[in-house]
Amino acid sequence: MSATHGPGHVIVVGGGPVGLSAALLLSRAGIRCTVLERDAEPSTHPKARGVRPRTMELFTAWGLADELIAHALPAEADRFIYCDSLTGAEIARSPESDGRNADVSPVGPCRVAQDTVHRVLLRAVSDLPGVNVRAGESVVGVEQDGDRVVVRTAAGLSVTGDYVIAADGVGSTVRRLLQVDLDGDPVLGYGQSIYWLGDLSPWVADRPCIQFHTGQRTGHAANIATVDGRDRWVTMIMRPPGVDRPTPPTPQEAAAVIAEAVGADVGPQILDIATWRISAQVARTWRVGRVFLAGDAAHSFPPTGGFGMNTGVQDVHNLVWKLAQVLRGGAGDALLDTYGVERIEVARSNAAWSVANGRRFREIGTAIAADDRARLAQLLEDQRSHVDATDQDLAFGYPSGALAPGVDQPGAPLRVAVTGHRFPHTDVLIEGETHSSITGLGDGFTLMAADLTRWSEVGTLRPLIDLAACPAEVLGRAAVALVRPDGIVGWLGGPDASIHDLRVAVDHILGRSA
C-alpha cells in the first residue's frame, strides 16, 4: 500500500462486490484503502444472477463490461417459464422484454452470476494503486473519535483510517457494533438454494430463461435457474416464515427435489446447499460518525428483483466521490450526511418493489394451480415491469441532498435533465471528441451546455469541473446542467446563468455554503 497515494485512508469492511466496487472507486479517486474480508476464499455459490442496466453502466465506465458479458446468458433469456417440470407441460411464459431500455441507456442488463462479478472485481482491484485487500480478517471491533477510526480483527490486526465503509453483508458485524436498528420485515420467509452440476440440455437448449418455475400444479413448487447457460444450476425452494429456520436438505433430499423439478433423475453433482432468510429491511441511519453502511449492511431485499447487489454498488458510487472531496479538503462534512439522505429512500423503494414482485410470483402460482387463465394472463402482463425494470432501475431520483436550487424542470428524467436524477443518455462532445454522457465522463463534475462559448471561464475551475457540449433537447428549458461525479444532475441553470451562479451551486452541493 503506497503511503503517497493521495490524501486519507478508508477502511472497507467486506470484500464482496460492493466492498470491491468501493475499493475500485477509492483508487480511481486517489484515496488509499484497506479491504478487510472475513472469508479466506471467495464464495463459489452463485447467489444473485443479474446486473441491472444502471450497474452495468458503471461497470462499463470502469472497464469491466466485456468480461462480464462474456460470461452472461443471451438477451433472450430475460424471461420466466412456468411448467409442471422441465420434462412436463409448459404452462406460460412472462412477456419478452420490449427493448424499452435501448434509447435511454447505452447498455442493457447482463444476466451473469454474482460469483463471476465478484471474481472480475477482485482481479480488477488486486493490482490497483493504494488498495490493500486482506482476506481472512474477521472484524470484531470498531472504535472512533473525531479524527480517526480504528478497526480490530479477530486475528489481532488493528487498522486505522479516516473513514470506514461497512459492506459486510446482511448480518453486518459493524452495524451490530454500532447498534443501528433496521426498519421493515425481518422474516418474510426462507429460501433454500441447491447449487449443482448436471446436463439439462435435452429440455432447456431451446428455452433460455432466468428461471423455470415448476410444480405449481403438483404441490411441489421449486425453481430451476441456470448459472452459466451450460451445466451450472441452482434449484430453489421457498419456505414460509416460521418460528425456526428450516433445516437444510441432505444431499439425497436435494437430489430428490431436483428430480421432481426436472421430471427425471439427471444424477446431479451437488456442490453446495444454502439456507437464507428473506427480509425487506433498511437501516434507520447509514452514517454513525466516521462509519458508513453500504450494500446489504444497509438494506436487505427479497431476491425477487435482483436489486440487492445492484443497489449496493450504486450506494458506494454515491458515497465515494463525497468522501474523496472531503478528504481532499474540497468539501465540508455536511456533504457526507447527504449519502444517507439520498440513498435510504432509493433502498426503501427497491425493497417495496422486490416485495411486490415476490407477492406476484405467489399469485401466479395460485392462478396456475386453480387453472385461472384470465387471472394468470393479467399477472404475467404485470410481470413485464419486473423483467424490464427500466423505470425502477434508471428513473430513481433524490428529492434532496447534495443538490443546488436552480431551474425547476418538468418532464421525464430519462429524457430530459432533472435535478436529482441521472443525466439522460446522449452523445456529448468533450474537447472535440464524442463520448457517452453515461459511460464516457470523467470522475469529476461535468458542466453540460448546448452552447459552451459563454462558459470558457470554467477552465479556471479545473480539474474540479470538465466541460461537455450536449444537445439542447436534453436540457429542456434549462441552458446548462452541472452533473456530479456519480452522474446525477446537481444543478440546472437558466439562460441567464453565470459563472458566479455556477460557483454558488458548486459551493452549495459540496457543503461549502456560508
Side-chain angles (χ1 to χ4, degrees):
M1 186 164 51
S2 171
T4 61
H5 188 72
H9 177 213
V10 175
I11 304 166
V12 179
V13 180
V18 175
L20 294 174
S21 293
L24 183 149
L25 288 165
L26 287 162
S27 180
R28 287 170 66 104
I31 306 298
R32 292 184 299 121
C33 75
T34 299
V35 180
L36 302 176
E37 166 55 38
R38 177 190 60 193
D39 295 333
E41 297 291 338
S43 171
T44 59
H45 203 97
K47 299 181 182 177
R49 294 171 301 101
V51 180
R52 288 290 185 186
R54 179 54 184 156
T55 308
M56 203 61 190
E57 291 175 352
L58 304 184
F59 287 160
T60 301
W62 303 344
L64 307 178
D66 289 347
E67 187 172 1
L68 293 174
I69 292 171
H71 291 89
L73 301 180
E76 60 266 28
D78 218 16
R79 62 189 174 197
F80 301 105
I81 294 178
Y82 300 88
C83 51
D84 288 332
S85 66
L86 264 60
T87 64
E90 182 174 313
I91 302 163
R93 298 185 177 198
S94 63
E96 294 185 17
S97 173
D98 58 11
R100 287 182 297 154
N101 181 60
D103 61 343
V104 295
S105 177
V107 303
C110 183
R111 286 290 170 187
V112 61
Q114 183 170 318
D115 63 319
T116 299
V117 176
H118 190 171
R119 288 196 302 272
V120 169
L121 277 165
L122 187 58
R123 283 196 296 270
V125 305
S126 61
D127 295 325
L128 288 178
V131 177
N132 182 16
V133 178
R134 307 269 316 229
E137 295 286 358
S138 181
V139 169
V140 296
V142 177
E143 299 157 5
Q144 61 177 311
D145 56 29
D147 300 314
R148 63 176 189 166
V149 187
V150 179
V151 176
R152 294 181 291 103
T153 73
L157 180 67
S158 181
V159 185
T160 301
D162 296 283
Y163 296 99
V164 168
I165 299 175
D168 52 340
V170 67
S172 172
T173 297
V174 175
R175 188 186 66 233
R176 177 177 54 79
L177 290 170
L178 297 176
Q179 298 182 321
V180 174
D181 291 328
L182 298 164
D183 290 323
D185 293 312
V187 185
L188 292 167
Y190 293 91
Q192 295 186 300
S193 57
I194 305 161
Y195 178 34
W196 57 282
L197 293 177
D199 181 14
L200 299 182
S201 57
W203 309 288
V204 305
D206 60 347
R207 296 194 294 175
C209 68
I210 303 169
Q211 284 179 344
F212 292 92
H213 288 255
T214 74
Q216 288 87 4
R217 295 195 295 203
T218 64
H220 298 282
N223 306 332
I224 297 180
T226 181
V227 176
D228 60 359
R230 296 183 298 277
D231 58 1
R232 292 203 295 156
W233 307 91
V234 172
T235 296
M236 287 177 284
I237 316 161
M238 299 302 169
R239 306 293 191 189
V243 177
D244 299 319
R245 186 184 186 93
T247 302
T250 65
Q252 294 75 20
E253 291 169 336
V257 169
I258 294 169
E260 181 80 32
V262 174
D265 184 359
V266 292
Q269 179 185 345
I270 308 296
L271 301 178
D272 189 26
I273 299 173
T275 297
W276 32 276
R277 176 170 53 92
I278 303 171
S279 59
Q281 294 184 290
V282 178
R284 291 182 183 175
T285 181
W286 291 24
R287 180 186 186 185
V288 178
R290 291 179 167 269
V291 182
F292 300 85
L293 304 180
D296 287 353
H299 46 72
S300 61
F301 311 145
T304 44
F307 266 95
M309 177 189 70
N310 288 277
T311 305
V313 172
Q314 294 167 43
D315 291 341
V316 295
H317 189 233
N318 179 290
L319 173 61
V320 168
W321 75 266
K322 298 174 180 179
L323 286 172
Q325 287 290 338
V326 172
L327 286 168
R328 294 186 193 121
D333 181 76
L335 177 63
L336 301 180
D337 288 331
T338 68
Y339 166 61
V341 169
E342 294 179 347
R343 293 303 298 171
I344 283 177
E345 290 307 316
V346 173
R348 288 172 177 163
S349 174
N350 288 345
W353 185 82
S354 300
V355 169
N357 289 336
R359 185 183 307 116
R360 187 186 302 111
F361 272 126
R362 292 190 294 275
E363 291 173 353
I364 287 173
T366 299
I368 289 174
D371 197 26
D372 188 340
R373 291 288 172 171
R375 178 61 174 156
L376 177 60
Q378 181 59 58
L379 289 167
L380 291 174
E381 181 57 33
D382 292 344
Q383 196 168 54
R384 187 184 298 278
S385 64
H386 177 172
V387 176
D388 188 352
T390 300
D391 288 343
Q392 187 69 27
D393 183 41
L394 299 180
F396 68 91
Y398 306 141
S400 60
L403 310 169
V407 171
D408 183 14
Q409 179 90 279
L414 296 182
R415 311 290 178 180
V416 65
V418 177
T419 302
H421 291 261
R422 159 187 166 279
F423 189 81
H425 165 47
T426 186
D427 286 339
V428 299
L429 283 177
I430 302 175
E431 297 183 350
E433 295 185 357
T434 301
H435 295 268
S436 164
S437 64
I438 301 298
T439 62
L441 303 185
D443 291 328
F445 287 81
T446 303
L447 190 72
M448 300 280 191
D451 181 5
L452 295 177
T453 56
R454 296 177 49 240
W455 298 97
S456 59
E457 289 183 65
V458 170
T460 63
L461 297 178
R462 291 182 179 174
L464 178 64
I465 301 177
D466 290 321
L467 276 173
C470 69
E473 55 265 27
V474 301
L475 295 173
R477 64 188 190 189
V480 63
L482 182 63
V483 180
R484 305 184 330 188
D486 57 355
I488 299 297
V489 178
W491 171 72
L492 291 174
D496 297 328
S498 66
I499 190 73
H500 171 74
D501 297 325
L502 172 61
R503 290 179 186 274
V504 170
V506 170
D507 286 343
H508 191 94
I509 290 170
L510 295 180
R512 302 191 304 209
S513 300

